[in-house]
Amino acid sequence: MSTRTSDSRPATGGPTPPEAEETASPPETGTAVVKTGRWRRLRGIVLVGIIVVAAAVVPLLLSPSGDTGGRYADPADTSLVGTRALAEVLADHGVAVERVDDVSAAVATADSDSLLVVTEASEVSEADARRLAASPADRLIVGRAPHLGILAAGVTPRNRATRARSREPECGLRAAVLAGSAHLGGLSFTGPAGSTGCYPAEGRPTLVRYVLDGRTVTVAGDGGFMTNLRLAEDGNAALALNLAGAKRRLVWLVAPDLGDRSDAGETGGSDATEARSLGDLVPDGVGWAVLQLVIAVAVAAVWRGRRLGPVVVERLPVIVRASETVEGRGRLYRARRARDRAALALRAAAADRIVPRLGLPPAAASDEVAAAVAVRTGEDLNHVRTTLYGPAPTDDAGLVALAEHLDRLERQVRDS
Protein backbone atom coordinates (compact mmCIF):
# COMPACT_ATOMS: atom_id res chain seq x y z
CA MET A 1 0.00 0.00 0.00
CA SER A 2 2.73 2.44 0.87
CA THR A 3 4.48 1.79 -2.41
CA ARG A 4 1.34 2.55 -4.40
CA THR A 5 0.73 5.72 -2.46
CA SER A 6 4.22 7.01 -3.23
CA ASP A 7 3.84 6.22 -6.94
CA SER A 8 0.36 7.66 -7.32
CA ARG A 9 -0.48 10.86 -9.20
CA PRO A 10 0.18 14.10 -7.21
CA ALA A 11 -2.77 15.79 -5.55
CA THR A 12 -4.55 18.72 -7.14
CA GLY A 13 -2.70 21.99 -6.61
CA GLY A 14 0.70 20.35 -6.21
CA PRO A 15 3.72 21.07 -8.40
CA THR A 16 3.52 19.82 -11.96
CA PRO A 17 6.16 17.23 -12.82
CA PRO A 18 8.50 17.96 -15.73
CA GLU A 19 6.92 15.08 -17.66
CA ALA A 20 3.52 16.79 -17.46
CA GLU A 21 5.02 20.07 -18.71
CA GLU A 22 6.58 18.29 -21.66
CA THR A 23 3.33 16.58 -22.61
CA ALA A 24 1.56 19.97 -22.71
CA SER A 25 3.67 21.17 -25.66
CA PRO A 26 2.03 19.17 -28.50
CA PRO A 27 -1.25 21.20 -28.47
CA GLU A 28 0.74 24.43 -28.92
CA THR A 29 2.68 22.88 -31.79
CA GLY A 30 -0.55 21.72 -33.40
CA THR A 31 -1.99 25.22 -33.11
CA ALA A 32 1.08 26.66 -34.78
CA VAL A 33 0.79 24.14 -37.61
CA VAL A 34 -2.87 25.05 -38.11
CA LYS A 35 -2.04 28.75 -38.23
CA THR A 36 0.78 28.12 -40.71
CA GLY A 37 -1.50 26.09 -42.96
CA ARG A 38 -4.17 28.76 -42.81
CA TRP A 39 -1.64 31.41 -43.80
CA ARG A 40 -0.47 29.32 -46.73
CA ARG A 41 -4.05 29.08 -47.99
CA LEU A 42 -4.72 32.79 -47.57
CA ARG A 43 -1.43 34.25 -48.79
CA GLY A 44 -2.49 33.97 -52.45
CA ILE A 45 -5.64 35.99 -51.79
CA VAL A 46 -3.65 38.56 -49.82
CA LEU A 47 -1.10 38.90 -52.63
CA VAL A 48 -3.80 39.45 -55.26
CA GLY A 49 -5.43 42.05 -53.00
CA ILE A 50 -2.12 43.91 -52.62
CA ILE A 51 -1.61 43.91 -56.40
CA VAL A 52 -5.10 45.28 -57.02
CA VAL A 53 -4.67 48.02 -54.39
CA ALA A 54 -1.27 48.95 -55.84
CA ALA A 55 -2.77 49.13 -59.33
CA ALA A 56 -5.37 51.59 -58.05
CA VAL A 57 -3.01 53.71 -55.92
CA VAL A 58 0.02 54.00 -58.21
CA PRO A 59 -1.80 56.04 -60.92
CA LEU A 60 -2.95 58.45 -58.22
CA LEU A 61 0.62 58.87 -57.03
CA LEU A 62 1.85 59.37 -60.60
CA SER A 63 -0.83 61.90 -61.48
CA PRO A 64 0.04 65.61 -61.32
CA SER A 65 0.02 66.98 -57.81
CA GLY A 66 -3.18 68.71 -56.91
CA ASP A 67 -5.06 67.50 -59.97
CA THR A 68 -8.65 67.46 -58.75
CA GLY A 69 -10.39 67.65 -62.12
CA GLY A 70 -10.60 71.46 -62.16
CA ARG A 71 -9.67 73.80 -65.02
CA TYR A 72 -5.92 74.20 -65.02
CA ALA A 73 -4.58 77.77 -64.79
CA ASP A 74 -8.08 79.25 -64.94
CA PRO A 75 -8.45 82.49 -62.93
CA ALA A 76 -12.10 81.61 -62.23
CA ASP A 77 -11.36 78.09 -60.92
CA THR A 78 -11.12 77.53 -57.16
CA SER A 79 -9.73 73.98 -57.30
CA LEU A 80 -6.10 73.21 -56.51
CA VAL A 81 -5.09 73.51 -60.18
CA GLY A 82 -6.93 76.77 -60.75
CA THR A 83 -5.57 80.31 -60.29
CA ARG A 84 -8.49 82.04 -58.58
CA ALA A 85 -6.32 83.01 -55.61
CA LEU A 86 -3.80 84.77 -57.88
CA ALA A 87 -6.61 86.64 -59.65
CA GLU A 88 -7.92 87.91 -56.31
CA VAL A 89 -4.44 88.97 -55.18
CA LEU A 90 -3.95 90.85 -58.45
CA ALA A 91 -7.34 92.54 -58.03
CA ASP A 92 -6.33 93.64 -54.51
CA HIS A 93 -3.25 95.27 -56.05
CA GLY A 94 -5.31 97.18 -58.58
CA VAL A 95 -4.79 94.91 -61.59
CA ALA A 96 -7.92 94.36 -63.70
CA VAL A 97 -8.09 90.67 -64.61
CA GLU A 98 -10.18 89.91 -67.70
CA ARG A 99 -10.83 86.24 -68.40
CA VAL A 100 -11.48 85.45 -72.07
CA ASP A 101 -11.98 82.08 -73.75
CA ASP A 102 -11.75 83.26 -77.34
CA VAL A 103 -8.70 84.39 -79.30
CA SER A 104 -10.64 87.10 -81.13
CA ALA A 105 -11.81 88.56 -77.81
CA ALA A 106 -8.26 88.43 -76.45
CA VAL A 107 -6.85 90.25 -79.48
CA ALA A 108 -9.61 92.87 -79.36
CA THR A 109 -9.18 93.43 -75.61
CA ALA A 110 -5.39 93.46 -75.32
CA ASP A 111 -3.55 96.72 -76.09
CA SER A 112 -0.15 98.23 -75.42
CA ASP A 113 -1.06 98.79 -71.76
CA SER A 114 -2.08 95.16 -71.20
CA LEU A 115 -0.42 91.84 -70.41
CA LEU A 116 -1.66 88.81 -72.31
CA VAL A 117 -1.38 85.46 -70.48
CA VAL A 118 -1.34 82.23 -72.51
CA THR A 119 -0.97 78.90 -70.69
CA GLU A 120 -0.65 75.28 -71.82
CA ALA A 121 -4.38 74.91 -71.14
CA SER A 122 -5.23 77.52 -73.80
CA GLU A 123 -6.53 76.12 -77.08
CA VAL A 124 -4.64 78.05 -79.76
CA SER A 125 -4.21 77.12 -83.40
CA GLU A 126 -1.26 78.22 -85.49
CA ALA A 127 -3.27 81.04 -87.08
CA ASP A 128 -4.47 82.15 -83.63
CA ALA A 129 -0.89 82.11 -82.35
CA ARG A 130 0.18 84.46 -85.15
CA ARG A 131 -2.66 86.84 -84.32
CA LEU A 132 -1.68 86.83 -80.63
CA ALA A 133 1.98 87.40 -81.52
CA ALA A 134 0.97 90.45 -83.57
CA SER A 135 -0.92 91.96 -80.63
CA PRO A 136 0.67 95.10 -79.10
CA ALA A 137 0.33 93.68 -75.57
CA ASP A 138 3.16 92.16 -73.55
CA ARG A 139 2.98 88.38 -73.27
CA LEU A 140 3.38 85.87 -70.44
CA ILE A 141 3.64 82.31 -71.76
CA VAL A 142 3.30 79.58 -69.10
CA GLY A 143 4.16 75.88 -69.49
CA ARG A 144 3.88 73.92 -72.72
CA ALA A 145 1.80 76.53 -74.47
CA PRO A 146 0.80 75.62 -78.03
CA HIS A 147 2.96 77.04 -80.83
CA LEU A 148 5.56 78.38 -78.44
CA GLY A 149 7.91 79.14 -81.33
CA ILE A 150 5.39 81.68 -82.67
CA LEU A 151 4.25 83.18 -79.36
CA ALA A 152 7.83 83.51 -78.07
CA ALA A 153 10.02 83.75 -81.16
CA GLY A 154 13.67 83.01 -80.42
CA VAL A 155 13.01 80.82 -77.37
CA THR A 156 13.89 77.15 -77.88
CA PRO A 157 12.53 74.65 -75.32
CA ARG A 158 14.54 71.65 -74.26
CA ASN A 159 13.00 68.33 -75.29
CA ARG A 160 13.40 66.62 -71.93
CA ALA A 161 11.30 68.05 -69.09
CA THR A 162 12.74 68.60 -65.62
CA ARG A 163 11.05 68.08 -62.28
CA ALA A 164 9.29 71.12 -60.91
CA ARG A 165 10.59 72.02 -57.44
CA SER A 166 11.72 74.93 -55.34
CA ARG A 167 14.59 76.71 -57.11
CA GLU A 168 16.67 79.83 -56.55
CA PRO A 169 16.51 82.62 -59.15
CA GLU A 170 20.27 82.91 -59.80
CA CYS A 171 19.72 85.90 -62.11
CA GLY A 172 19.46 89.66 -62.02
CA LEU A 173 15.80 89.95 -63.04
CA ARG A 174 14.13 92.23 -60.49
CA ALA A 175 10.86 90.28 -60.40
CA ALA A 176 12.75 87.08 -59.59
CA VAL A 177 15.23 88.62 -57.16
CA LEU A 178 12.44 90.19 -55.08
CA ALA A 179 10.50 86.90 -55.02
CA GLY A 180 13.40 84.63 -54.13
CA SER A 181 12.98 80.86 -54.38
CA ALA A 182 9.96 79.63 -56.33
CA HIS A 183 8.42 76.35 -57.53
CA LEU A 184 9.61 76.11 -61.12
CA GLY A 185 10.77 73.45 -63.55
CA GLY A 186 9.00 71.65 -66.35
CA LEU A 187 10.49 73.07 -69.54
CA SER A 188 13.90 74.67 -69.67
CA PHE A 189 14.86 77.02 -72.50
CA THR A 190 17.56 78.55 -74.57
CA GLY A 191 16.76 82.26 -74.89
CA PRO A 192 17.67 84.68 -77.66
CA ALA A 193 20.53 87.10 -77.40
CA GLY A 194 19.99 89.74 -74.70
CA SER A 195 17.44 87.67 -72.78
CA THR A 196 17.54 87.06 -69.04
CA GLY A 197 17.26 83.50 -67.75
CA CYS A 198 16.33 82.57 -64.17
CA TYR A 199 15.67 79.52 -62.00
CA PRO A 200 18.06 77.21 -63.89
CA ALA A 201 17.55 73.45 -64.09
CA GLU A 202 20.51 71.38 -65.29
CA GLY A 203 22.24 74.49 -66.57
CA ARG A 204 19.30 75.96 -68.51
CA PRO A 205 16.81 78.58 -67.27
CA THR A 206 13.17 77.67 -66.68
CA LEU A 207 12.15 81.34 -66.79
CA VAL A 208 13.18 83.61 -69.68
CA ARG A 209 12.37 87.27 -70.26
CA TYR A 210 13.36 89.36 -73.25
CA VAL A 211 12.12 92.28 -75.34
CA LEU A 212 10.83 91.66 -78.87
CA ASP A 213 9.72 94.56 -81.09
CA GLY A 214 9.14 96.79 -78.07
CA ARG A 215 7.03 94.18 -76.21
CA THR A 216 8.17 92.24 -73.15
CA VAL A 217 7.84 88.49 -73.54
CA THR A 218 8.16 86.23 -70.49
CA VAL A 219 8.21 82.43 -70.73
CA ALA A 220 7.91 80.14 -67.69
CA GLY A 221 8.50 76.39 -67.98
CA ASP A 222 5.80 75.42 -65.49
CA GLY A 223 2.71 77.15 -64.13
CA GLY A 224 2.53 75.34 -60.81
CA PHE A 225 3.76 78.39 -58.88
CA MET A 226 0.63 80.28 -59.99
CA THR A 227 -1.96 77.67 -58.92
CA ASN A 228 -4.02 77.71 -55.76
CA LEU A 229 -2.02 74.72 -54.50
CA ARG A 230 1.43 76.32 -54.68
CA LEU A 231 0.74 80.05 -54.43
CA ALA A 232 1.37 80.23 -50.68
CA GLU A 233 4.68 78.33 -50.84
CA ASP A 234 8.15 79.91 -51.01
CA GLY A 235 8.12 83.11 -53.05
CA ASN A 236 5.52 81.82 -55.52
CA ALA A 237 2.96 84.51 -54.73
CA ALA A 238 5.55 87.29 -55.08
CA LEU A 239 6.88 85.90 -58.36
CA ALA A 240 3.38 85.43 -59.80
CA LEU A 241 2.38 88.93 -58.72
CA ASN A 242 5.54 90.46 -60.16
CA LEU A 243 5.14 88.69 -63.51
CA ALA A 244 1.35 88.88 -63.97
CA GLY A 245 0.97 92.30 -62.35
CA ALA A 246 3.48 94.13 -64.51
CA LYS A 247 0.61 95.98 -66.25
CA ARG A 248 -2.58 97.53 -64.89
CA ARG A 249 -4.63 95.27 -67.09
CA LEU A 250 -4.34 91.51 -67.47
CA VAL A 251 -6.03 89.56 -70.29
CA TRP A 252 -6.05 85.84 -69.39
CA LEU A 253 -6.80 83.45 -72.25
CA VAL A 254 -8.37 80.16 -71.13
CA ALA A 255 -9.84 77.16 -72.95
CA PRO A 256 -13.51 77.44 -73.91
CA ASP A 257 -16.07 75.79 -71.67
CA LEU A 258 -17.42 72.43 -72.84
CA GLY A 259 -20.79 73.99 -73.60
CA ASP A 260 -19.24 76.63 -75.83
CA ARG A 261 -16.95 74.40 -77.91
CA SER A 262 -19.57 73.77 -80.58
CA ASP A 263 -19.58 77.50 -81.33
CA ALA A 264 -15.80 77.71 -81.68
CA GLY A 265 -15.99 77.75 -85.48
CA GLU A 266 -17.97 81.02 -85.41
CA THR A 267 -15.18 83.05 -83.78
CA GLY A 268 -13.49 85.43 -86.17
CA GLY A 269 -10.50 83.73 -87.78
CA SER A 270 -10.32 80.89 -85.20
CA ASP A 271 -10.22 77.31 -86.41
CA ALA A 272 -13.28 75.21 -85.55
CA THR A 273 -12.74 73.00 -82.52
CA GLU A 274 -14.30 69.56 -82.60
CA ALA A 275 -16.38 68.46 -79.67
CA ARG A 276 -14.56 66.19 -77.30
CA SER A 277 -15.34 62.49 -77.43
CA LEU A 278 -16.04 60.34 -74.41
CA GLY A 279 -12.45 59.10 -74.42
CA ASP A 280 -11.14 62.68 -74.21
CA LEU A 281 -13.17 63.26 -71.06
CA VAL A 282 -11.67 60.26 -69.25
CA PRO A 283 -8.77 61.33 -66.97
CA ASP A 284 -5.29 60.23 -67.99
CA GLY A 285 -4.75 58.19 -64.83
CA VAL A 286 -7.65 55.86 -65.62
CA GLY A 287 -5.81 54.32 -68.56
CA TRP A 288 -2.77 53.56 -66.42
CA ALA A 289 -4.98 52.10 -63.69
CA VAL A 290 -6.76 49.78 -66.14
CA LEU A 291 -3.46 48.71 -67.73
CA GLN A 292 -1.88 47.91 -64.36
CA LEU A 293 -5.01 46.09 -63.23
CA VAL A 294 -4.91 43.92 -66.39
CA ILE A 295 -1.22 43.16 -65.77
CA ALA A 296 -1.96 42.30 -62.13
CA VAL A 297 -4.78 39.94 -63.12
CA ALA A 298 -2.59 38.31 -65.78
CA VAL A 299 0.26 37.78 -63.30
CA ALA A 300 -2.15 36.34 -60.74
CA ALA A 301 -3.66 34.03 -63.38
CA VAL A 302 -0.23 32.78 -64.46
CA TRP A 303 0.80 32.30 -60.85
CA ARG A 304 -2.34 30.45 -59.80
CA GLY A 305 -2.59 28.45 -63.03
CA ARG A 306 1.03 27.29 -63.20
CA ARG A 307 1.68 23.71 -64.36
CA LEU A 308 2.49 21.24 -61.63
CA GLY A 309 4.23 18.77 -63.98
CA PRO A 310 3.14 15.30 -65.07
CA VAL A 311 0.97 13.10 -62.91
CA VAL A 312 3.04 11.03 -60.50
CA VAL A 313 2.07 7.35 -60.29
CA GLU A 314 2.03 6.15 -56.70
CA ARG A 315 2.06 2.60 -55.51
CA LEU A 316 -1.00 1.67 -53.54
CA PRO A 317 -0.18 0.78 -49.95
CA VAL A 318 -2.41 -2.34 -50.19
CA ILE A 319 -3.40 -4.36 -53.27
CA VAL A 320 -6.86 -5.92 -52.93
CA ARG A 321 -7.60 -8.87 -55.23
CA ALA A 322 -10.79 -8.87 -57.25
CA SER A 323 -11.96 -12.10 -55.66
CA GLU A 324 -11.58 -10.60 -52.22
CA THR A 325 -13.63 -7.58 -53.28
CA VAL A 326 -16.38 -9.84 -54.60
CA GLU A 327 -16.38 -11.95 -51.45
CA GLY A 328 -16.45 -8.88 -49.25
CA ARG A 329 -19.37 -7.41 -51.13
CA GLY A 330 -21.19 -10.74 -50.96
CA ARG A 331 -20.70 -10.91 -47.23
CA LEU A 332 -22.14 -7.39 -46.90
CA TYR A 333 -25.22 -8.44 -48.88
CA ARG A 334 -25.57 -11.57 -46.72
CA ALA A 335 -25.17 -9.66 -43.46
CA ARG A 336 -27.91 -7.25 -44.48
CA ARG A 337 -30.01 -10.03 -46.06
CA ALA A 338 -30.09 -7.99 -49.28
CA ARG A 339 -31.02 -10.90 -51.54
CA ASP A 340 -32.93 -8.56 -53.87
CA ARG A 341 -29.87 -6.38 -54.46
CA ALA A 342 -27.63 -9.43 -54.92
CA ALA A 343 -30.06 -10.99 -57.41
CA LEU A 344 -30.32 -7.69 -59.31
CA ALA A 345 -26.52 -7.43 -59.53
CA LEU A 346 -26.22 -11.06 -60.78
CA ARG A 347 -28.93 -10.63 -63.43
CA ALA A 348 -27.57 -7.25 -64.64
CA ALA A 349 -24.04 -8.66 -65.02
CA ALA A 350 -25.33 -11.75 -66.87
CA ALA A 351 -27.47 -9.61 -69.20
CA ASP A 352 -24.51 -7.33 -69.98
CA ARG A 353 -22.51 -10.37 -71.10
CA ILE A 354 -25.33 -12.20 -72.92
CA VAL A 355 -26.89 -9.32 -74.93
CA PRO A 356 -23.78 -8.52 -77.09
CA ARG A 357 -23.47 -12.24 -78.00
CA LEU A 358 -27.06 -12.23 -79.25
CA GLY A 359 -26.40 -9.24 -81.53
CA LEU A 360 -28.93 -7.08 -79.70
CA PRO A 361 -28.47 -3.38 -78.79
CA PRO A 362 -27.69 -2.54 -75.13
CA ALA A 363 -31.12 -0.92 -74.72
CA ALA A 364 -33.07 -4.02 -75.91
CA ALA A 365 -36.34 -4.78 -74.09
CA SER A 366 -36.53 -7.62 -71.56
CA ASP A 367 -39.03 -9.62 -73.63
CA GLU A 368 -36.80 -9.30 -76.68
CA VAL A 369 -33.76 -10.51 -74.77
CA ALA A 370 -35.67 -13.42 -73.19
CA ALA A 371 -37.03 -14.53 -76.58
CA ALA A 372 -33.60 -14.39 -78.20
CA VAL A 373 -32.05 -16.44 -75.35
CA ALA A 374 -34.84 -19.04 -75.57
CA VAL A 375 -34.31 -19.39 -79.32
CA ARG A 376 -30.53 -19.66 -78.98
CA THR A 377 -30.53 -22.16 -76.10
CA GLY A 378 -33.77 -24.06 -76.74
CA GLU A 379 -34.93 -23.39 -73.17
CA ASP A 380 -38.51 -22.65 -72.24
CA LEU A 381 -39.35 -18.95 -72.75
CA ASN A 382 -41.09 -18.58 -69.36
CA HIS A 383 -38.14 -20.24 -67.61
CA VAL A 384 -35.70 -17.90 -69.32
CA ARG A 385 -37.81 -14.83 -68.51
CA THR A 386 -38.12 -15.88 -64.86
CA THR A 387 -34.39 -16.51 -64.62
CA LEU A 388 -33.37 -13.17 -66.15
CA TYR A 389 -36.15 -10.86 -64.96
CA GLY A 390 -38.14 -12.79 -62.32
CA PRO A 391 -38.76 -11.94 -58.66
CA ALA A 392 -36.01 -11.90 -56.07
CA PRO A 393 -35.26 -15.16 -54.19
CA THR A 394 -36.71 -15.51 -50.70
CA ASP A 395 -33.77 -17.41 -49.17
CA ASP A 396 -30.09 -18.06 -49.66
CA ALA A 397 -30.70 -21.37 -51.39
CA GLY A 398 -32.86 -19.66 -53.99
CA LEU A 399 -30.12 -17.05 -54.56
CA VAL A 400 -27.53 -19.82 -55.12
CA ALA A 401 -29.90 -21.58 -57.51
CA LEU A 402 -30.44 -18.33 -59.42
CA ALA A 403 -26.69 -17.90 -59.82
CA GLU A 404 -26.38 -21.43 -61.18
CA HIS A 405 -29.23 -20.92 -63.69
CA LEU A 406 -27.72 -17.65 -64.91
CA ASP A 407 -24.32 -19.27 -65.31
CA ARG A 408 -25.85 -22.13 -67.27
CA LEU A 409 -27.78 -19.80 -69.58
CA GLU A 410 -24.69 -17.70 -70.23
CA ARG A 411 -22.62 -20.80 -70.99
CA GLN A 412 -25.28 -22.10 -73.40
CA VAL A 413 -25.43 -18.76 -75.24
CA ARG A 414 -21.63 -18.67 -75.46
CA ASP A 415 -21.29 -22.23 -76.70
CA SER A 416 -24.25 -22.18 -79.12
Side-chain angles (χ1 to χ4, degrees):
M1 294 293 295
S2 61
T3 304
R4 291 188 178 184
T5 304
S6 61
D7 294 339
S8 61
R9 185 177 297 175
T12 304
T16 304
E19 294 80 357
E21 295 180 356
E22 293 177 359
T23 57
S25 60
E28 297 179 0
T29 305
T31 303
V33 171
V34 171
K35 291 181 178 180
T36 303
R38 186 179 303 170
W39 163 245
R40 288 178 179 176
R41 291 193 300 270
L42 295 178
R43 63 184 179 182
I45 301 175
V46 173
L47 179 60
V48 173
I50 293 175
I51 293 175
V52 172
V53 172
V57 172
V58 168
L60 297 179
L61 298 179
L62 296 179
S63 62
S65 177
D67 189 0
T68 59
R71 293 173 59 84
Y72 177 74
D74 191 331
D77 191 87
T78 57
S79 67
L80 297 180
V81 298
T83 55
R84 175 66 177 273
L86 175 60
E88 293 181 353
V89 172
L90 290 170
D92 293 341
H93 285 75
V95 179
V97 179
E98 298 185 23
R99 176 183 178 275
V100 295
D101 58 2
D102 181 73
V103 174
S104 296
V107 173
T109 304
D111 54 22
S112 59
D113 196 27
S114 304
L115 175 66
L116 178 61
V117 177
V118 181
T119 68
E120 57 186 293
S122 304
E123 294 187 357
V124 179
S125 64
E126 182 177 355
D128 292 337
R130 297 188 185 281
R131 296 175 63 199
L132 293 174
S135 171
D138 293 346
R139 292 190 295 277
L140 173 60
I141 315 300
V142 181
R144 294 180 177 271
H147 306 289
L148 182 62
I150 299 175
L151 295 174
V155 175
T156 304
R158 187 179 185 183
N159 292 332
R160 188 168 65 89
T162 58
R163 185 173 66 90
R165 63 176 179 82
S166 179
R167 302 180 187 275
E168 297 298 328
E170 300 183 18
C171 67
L173 184 64
R174 178 177 174 80
V177 173
L178 293 177
S181 61
H183 188 86
L184 275 169
L187 294 178
S188 56
F189 309 97
T190 298
S195 63
T196 302
C198 303
Y199 300 100
E202 300 179 2
R204 293 191 179 186
T206 59
L207 176 68
V208 175
R209 171 172 283 186
Y210 67 103
V211 177
L212 177 64
D213 298 333
R215 290 163 294 180
T216 302
V217 180
T218 307
V219 184
D222 182 76
F225 71 100
M226 305 172 67
T227 62
N228 300 328
L229 176 66
R230 301 288 184 184
L231 192 64
E233 299 177 0
D234 295 336
N236 295 339
L239 179 63
L241 183 62
N242 293 339
L243 295 180
K247 297 285 187 175
R248 308 307 298 178
R249 191 178 180 195
L250 177 66
V251 180
W252 199 306
L253 179 62
V254 299
D257 294 332
L258 291 177
D260 299 336
R261 295 186 181 220
S262 59
D263 301 332
E266 300 178 1
T267 57
S270 299
D271 294 340
T273 305
E274 297 182 358
R276 285 190 176 184
S277 63
L278 181 61
D280 296 333
L281 300 178
V282 177
D284 296 336
V286 173
W288 283 105
V290 172
L291 177 60
Q292 294 184 27
L293 184 59
V294 169
I295 295 175
V297 172
V299 171
V302 172
W303 170 60
R304 296 298 296 175
R306 64 188 184 279
R307 294 180 60 87
L308 298 178
V311 178
V312 178
V313 179
E314 278 189 65
R315 285 187 175 183
L316 295 177
V318 177
I319 298 177
V320 181
R321 298 181 182 277
S323 60
E324 294 180 5
T325 304
V326 173
E327 291 178 2
R329 188 173 182 181
R331 291 193 186 97
L332 289 176
Y333 283 150
R334 183 177 182 181
R336 304 303 299 176
R337 297 180 181 179
R339 300 182 187 91
D340 55 344
R341 292 180 179 273
L344 182 62
L346 291 173
R347 285 167 170 162
D352 289 342
R353 291 188 293 269
I354 290 174
V355 168
R357 293 182 179 275
L358 297 174
L360 297 176
S366 59
D367 292 340
E368 187 179 357
V369 174
V373 172
V375 172
R376 178 71 67 89
T377 61
E379 295 285 341
D380 181 66
L381 178 60
N382 292 330
H383 175 68
V384 173
R385 184 183 292 110
T386 302
T387 301
L388 291 175
Y389 304 105
T394 57
D395 54 13
D396 292 343
L399 185 61
V400 173
L402 175 63
E404 292 177 354
H405 292 324
L406 289 172
D407 183 62
R408 182 169 57 84
L409 282 178
E410 184 179 350
R411 187 169 55 254
Q412 290 177 349
V413 171
R414 183 176 65 248
D415 297 340
S416 60

